[in-house]
Amino acid sequence: MSSFNYFDEKPRVNKRQPHKRKDEKILKKDSAKVVFEKFLEFKSKQNLRPPSLNKFVALFKNLEAFHETRSKATLHVTHITTEFISDYVYWLKHEYIKFENNNNVPERVKTIGLADASIATRIRSLKTFINWCLRKKLIQSNPFDNWEGFKQNSTEIDVLTRGELNNLLKVAKFYSNKSFKYFRDTVLLHLLIDGMLRITEALLLSPDDIDRVNKTILIRSVNAKSRKSRIIPLSNKTYRLLNQLLDENEAFEGETDNLVFLSLSGRMLNKNNVLRDLKKWAKEAGIKKRFYLHLIRHSVATEYLRSSGDVESLRKILGHADLRTVLIYSHLADSTIKEKHHNHGFFGSENLIQRKRSNKRKK
């Protein structure tokens, strides 16, 4: 009598012998996109803010676009070699078209090549990703070890002079009584100048952050780029204007955001709208330089250093953790350097008393 057995759905094969899989075989399975998604998940757990995460997203899209110019194959982490990095940086500088697929951007803006600072940012982001891959043992060597590097030209910041800042304030004062919107923007401009704040820090300022006893404001760690809170002293004028704006805010009907600077709908201001409005004032003030919101911070910080020369107090006001970041303003404050050299240089006025004889020649 014949025996009946169940039919196997799959043919039997010998059991696979256990052995350690090589990293290269893993990488063939996972594309760079999959690895990047895992990397972004890791960075999200580190509590990185959306702007920081978006830099990595932009990096991957950039790498993928570059790889498509070289190959039709799927991009893998193993493709990122030393030669790949060198060619990628060259492509960013000489071939990459900004906003190429963005139909909302005018053609005149779609220029070729990124600025050195933008390229340096992408290189730093790529190094962070590669180091993470090394720690996860997804790659065996660091392609940056043999990379010759990218020499970045120093950025020249054309800051506003004290006269230009005063002209901007005069234009703001002229408009301040015409409407709530103009008065609000005038107060915001005063705060940006007086406190040397980043625009986001100013727009996120709450009435609860104003110390009415000491006339200071608190920049909370959750709103600060450095993630460290700091206290900013205010001039009497700026403090008075802030209180006047809070009185104006009482006219809002219904619920509003708990912020000092509110749109007409009672919500947080959009910084792009602020830039648009302040640009109009800058043009009316006769300012020919390229105007952007952070230029106010650069300009006032330079003026502060030119007046006081105190780098450490400037660092605390600006909220920088590293003193080296603040030292850029010492290069901008040329008059301070000239004055210091005039007084303290080897032939400076302060050293005249150390000479053995007067500076007059014998007759």
Side-chain angles (χ1 to χ4, degrees):
M1 185 178 177
S2 60
S3 60
F4 291 89
N5 295 319
Y6 290 102
F7 291 97
D8 292 327
E9 295 181 6
K10 295 181 180 180
R12 291 182 178 273
V13 294
N14 292 331
K15 186 176 180 180
R16 179 178 179 274
Q17 296 300 314
H19 66 276
K20 187 176 180 180
R21 297 180 68 189
K22 293 183 179 180
D23 294 332
E24 290 82 354
K25 291 186 177 181
I26 298 175
L27 289 172
K28 286 181 180 179
K29 178 182 177 182
D30 291 341
S31 65
K33 183 177 181 180
V34 173
V35 177
F36 248 92
E37 287 173 348
K38 294 177 182 178
F39 169 71
L40 286 173
E41 182 181 356
F42 169 77
K43 284 297 179 181
S44 298
K45 292 177 181 178
Q46 285 188 318
N47 198 29
L48 259 68
R49 292 174 178 166
S52 299
L53 293 172
N54 287 337
K55 287 181 181 179
F56 292 113
V57 174
L59 168 67
F60 171 73
K61 291 184 176 181
N62 222 218
L63 288 171
E64 202 171 42
F66 167 67
H67 179 68
E68 288 174 356
T69 65
R70 296 160 49 108
S71 172
K72 294 182 179 180
T74 303
L75 176 64
H76 291 272
V77 178
T78 49
H79 288 140
I80 306 177
T81 61
T82 303
E83 182 182 2
F84 179 97
I85 294 171
S86 296
D87 292 345
Y88 169 62
V89 171
Y90 181 88
W91 177 75
L92 288 175
K93 182 69 178 176
H94 301 284
E95 299 175 15
Y96 174 72
I97 302 175
K98 291 186 285 187
F99 309 110
E100 184 175 12
N101 298 317
N102 192 334
N103 296 326
N104 298 321
V105 175
E107 290 297 325
R108 59 181 172 78
V109 180
K110 297 180 179 181
T111 55
I112 297 176
L114 290 179
D116 287 358
S118 299
I119 296 173
T121 299
R122 279 169 169 74
I123 294 171
R124 286 195 298 270
S125 299
L126 182 56
K127 283 182 177 180
T128 302
F129 171 69
I130 291 297
N131 288 332
W132 177 82
C133 290
L134 284 168
R135 290 195 300 272
K136 296 296 180 181
K137 297 183 179 179
L138 297 176
I139 55 177
Q140 294 179 330
S141 60
N142 190 338
F144 280 102
D145 287 346
N146 296 321
W147 187 54
E148 294 182 353
F150 173 71
K151 292 185 178 180
Q152 179 182 353
N153 293 328
S154 59
T155 304
E156 298 294 333
I157 302 175
D158 195 7
V159 296
L160 301 176
T161 63
R162 177 179 282 273
E164 289 171 325
L165 287 169
N166 283 329
N167 289 339
L168 185 60
L169 288 169
K170 287 178 182 177
V171 173
K173 184 178 180 180
F174 173 78
Y175 283 99
S176 61
N177 292 325
K178 295 184 179 296
S179 68
F180 164 77
K181 176 178 175 293
Y182 286 139
F183 177 69
R184 177 204 64 202
D185 290 350
T186 299
V187 180
L188 177 58
L189 178 60
H190 276 80
L191 183 63
L192 290 174
I193 291 176
D194 194 14
M196 292 180 262
L197 304 183
R198 300 177 179 92
I199 183 61
T200 305
E201 294 171 342
L203 297 183
L204 290 173
L205 186 69
S206 165
D208 302 329
D209 299 331
I210 302 175
D211 185 340
R212 288 169 172 77
V213 176
N214 299 307
K215 295 183 180 180
T216 60
I217 57 172
L218 170 67
I219 304 300
R220 298 183 182 274
S221 57
V222 68
N223 299 332
K225 184 179 179 181
S226 62
R227 299 197 177 219
K228 292 182 180 179
S229 61
R230 68 186 192 278
I231 294 177
I232 306 293
L234 298 177
S235 65
N236 290 332
K237 183 176 183 180
T238 303
Y239 176 74
R240 184 179 70 253
L241 286 171
L242 279 174
N243 282 308
Q244 289 175 3
L245 180 59
L246 292 177
D247 291 339
E248 292 281 347
N249 288 348
E250 295 295 327
F252 278 98
E253 298 178 356
E255 186 177 351
T256 64
D257 290 344
N258 187 32
L259 299 171
V260 174
F261 300 100
L262 297 169
S263 67
L264 294 177
S265 60
R267 302 302 174 211
M268 178 181 172
L269 284 177
N270 183 301
K271 62 182 179 182
N272 291 326
N273 293 340
V274 174
L275 174 60
R276 178 198 62 204
D277 295 338
L278 292 189
K279 263 187 173 181
K280 293 178 182 177
W281 286 358
K283 184 177 181 180
E284 196 164 333
I287 295 173
K288 305 295 184 183
K289 298 166 184 172
R290 186 176 77 88
F291 185 86
Y292 51 97
L293 292 172
H294 212 68
L295 179 62
I296 298 174
R297 180 174 158 97
H298 285 317
S299 303
V300 182
T302 303
E303 187 61 35
Y304 181 93
L305 196 59
R306 182 179 289 124
S307 302
S308 70
D310 187 359
V311 179
E312 178 58 22
S313 65
L314 178 61
R315 182 190 68 80
K316 291 179 179 178
I317 294 173
L318 294 175
H320 287 304
D322 194 339
L323 190 63
R324 289 174 295 181
T325 311
V326 187
L327 290 178
I328 184 175
Y329 298 108
S330 65
H331 299 296
L332 298 175
D334 289 334
S335 64
T336 301
I337 298 172
K338 292 177 182 177
E339 183 179 345
K340 294 285 185 183
H341 180 267
H342 176 74
N343 292 331
H344 305 291
F346 185 80
F347 298 108
S349 58
E350 293 292 329
N351 292 327
L352 288 176
I353 57 174
Q354 298 178 9
R355 297 178 183 174
K356 302 283 185 180
R357 50 158 290 172
S358 68
N359 199 31
K360 294 181 179 179
R361 299 188 65 183
K362 292 181 178 180
K363 292 182 180 180

